[in-house]
Amino acid sequence: MLALRLARGTHPLVLTRRLLVAAAAAGVGFLLLCTLGYAVGHPERSSTSALRLLWCVLPLAATVQFAVAVARTDPSTRPRPGLSAVGLGPARLTAIAAASTAVACTLGSVVALLFYLHLRGDITGLPFDGAAAELLAADQPIPLAAALTLLAVLPVAAATAAGLALRPRTAPAPPEGAETTMPSGLPWGVALVAIGLAIETYAGRGGGSGLPLPGRFDGNPAGVLAGWVLTAAGLALAGPGLAHGCGRLLQAVRPGALRLLAGRVLMDEARRIGRPLGVVSAVLSGTFAAASVYDADTGADAFGPLTGLGAALILACTTATLLTAALESRQGRAHTTEALLRIGAPPTVLRTAALLRAGALLAVFLPLTWAIAELAALPLTG
């Protein structure tokens, strides 16, 4: 109840972000219910149904990541003076953030269930002249327990992830004058990318069993898609290290005050924005690779409606997560910005430093995304 009361009094932008989480949760819930409908309508294809359910893990993970990013930027769950005296300490605020995340995801799951039942004709009859009847197995009863279990996965996973991400931590303060270290995930990320590309190449040349996905788009060997997943994980793991390297690059070769400011801020924010930036790079590289493979050979019909919905959810959630992480970084350096303005720094300097940071990140991640996309598509086009 406290989480609902806090939601009623929050800023409209905060409510908009929560509604976006609910919308993403509705999309994921609809995909899960469609997978259940396929399993009910085709009981002889249990392995195919399991693989379709596995495909839904990707948009579900992207939605969980977005929900955690929104919870981190929620001002109502930020510790403030005086809250501990009324029983709202850091642990209680973490619980409220997890509850708010669960409420938003549950709302989306309920909307998905109602929309799914409406398309099946279980509420008001078959809409659209029964066009979706075969896709949703409208002639078969849907097991309610299985549907509710699938719809509960996202709220539980998102609330748990938000609670773990926002749990109180007691870390020792770094020594005075200590330089910001390089995140240690860069070598492991590069190794995962190399392994993923190697698996894609081997599977693409050697063939293999197809991995059927929701909709169509089911002609790829399973090893190729497994390699894509490893490549995406590697880019996400290497993202903070790459962002940290961009900050060092800005400060190289006799930097002035502007490049020093931009580089130090980017190094400090490398862990916060590097991982979502790496995830966006991975998603874009996979999208470009898929588009280059299927643009001329099979046409637009290669992407079924559910595959398109899943891909759109992944792209939208990862991009929204990156923008939310950038907003969190801006909130985190608000005191530094105010101090610079008090000592007479012109606002144009701060804006130019922000443009320098964005330019450095684009100069590194755009060529990397293009290269990964080309290497990922090479086994299938060659």
Side-chain angles (χ1 to χ4, degrees), residues 98-113:
S100 300
T101 303
V103 168
C105 293
T106 302
L107 175 62
S109 297
V110 171
V111 172
L113 179 60

Side-chain angles (χ1 to χ4, degrees), residues 9-96:
T10 51
H11 194 274
L13 291 179
V14 178
L15 289 178
T16 301
R17 292 197 293 266
R18 291 179 180 173
L19 288 177
L20 289 177
V21 172
V28 173
F30 185 75
L31 280 179
L32 291 172
L33 291 175
C34 290
T35 302
L36 177 62
Y38 181 87
V40 171
H42 304 82
E44 72 282 359
R45 302 178 184 177
S46 58
S47 59
T48 302
S49 301
L51 291 174
R52 285 171 172 259
L53 184 62
L54 184 63
W55 155 249
C56 297
V57 172
L58 297 179
L60 188 146
T63 304
V64 168
Q65 184 193 26
F66 178 43
V68 171
V70 170
R72 291 175 64 95
T73 57
D74 194 340
S76 63
T77 59
R78 195 171 302 145
R80 291 184 295 272
L83 290 181
S84 298
V86 295
L88 292 178
R92 185 72 181 276
L93 291 177
T94 300
I96 292 175

Side-chain angles (χ1 to χ4, degrees), residues 6 26 40-41 43 56 62 86 96 111 136 141 155 185 216 273 275 306 314 331 335 354 360:
L6 290 175
V40 171
C56 297
V86 295
I96 292 175
V111 172
L136 305 180
R216 287 172 289 275
I273 66 173
R275 184 153 300 171
L306 301 183
I314 295 172
Q331 293 174 352
H335 297 291

Side-chain angles (χ1 to χ4, degrees), residues 63 78-79 82 114 136 138 145 150 153 174-175 177 183 190 257 272 329 333 348:
T63 304
R78 195 171 302 145
L114 294 176
L136 305 180
L150 286 177
V153 170
V190 173
R272 187 173 294 167
S329 300
R333 63 173 185 270
T348 54

